[in-house]
Amino acid sequence: MFITPMAPLGELSGFKPEQASPLAGARELPFKEIFSTAVQNMKETEIISNNDTALLALGDIDDLHTLGIDATKAYLAERLVIELRNRAMEAYSEIMRINL
């Protein structure tokens, strides 16, 4: 009696490995482009959040929930830029520790 190997789970369900990543087949972006896009997004969301705050102070805002949503978007965009910077600095430090 022989043991027959089981087919990988992906093959049984029709899942293909190239579908694993949403970016599969997509063009890879250089870090500079990713970082500059994140900084630009942070600037834009901060401007929107500041405009919403000014509208609230003037009493010209109709829906208060928009202010909270835009403030949260600005906060998350800022956290993303900070994390990207921290990871880049960690990677740089790690590269500098490599002995050649």
Side-chain angles (χ1 to χ4, degrees), residues 8-19:
L9 184 59
E11 291 178 13
L12 295 176
S13 65
F15 178 79
K16 295 186 177 24
E18 56 270 1
Q19 296 171 342

Side-chain angles (χ1 to χ4, degrees), residues 36 63 71-72:
S36 64
D63 49 352
T72 303

Side-chain angles (χ1 to χ4, degrees), residues 43-59:
K43 289 178 183 178
E44 291 171 1
T45 56
E46 187 175 341
I47 290 170
I48 292 170
S49 180
N50 290 340
N51 288 342
D52 287 347
T53 305
L55 289 175
L56 177 68
L58 296 172

Side-chain angles (χ1 to χ4, degrees), residues 30-40 80-82 84-85:
F31 179 76
K32 178 184 175 187
E33 195 172 323
I34 293 170
F35 194 74
S36 64
T37 302
V39 169
Q40 184 64 32
L80 175 66
V81 170
I82 291 170
L84 283 173
R85 186 216 42 180

Side-chain angles (χ1 to χ4, degrees), residues 69-83:
I69 292 170
D70 289 341
T72 303
K73 284 181 184 178
Y75 171 75
L76 291 174
E78 180 182 0
R79 293 300 309 162
L80 175 66
V81 170
I82 291 170
E83 266 315 301

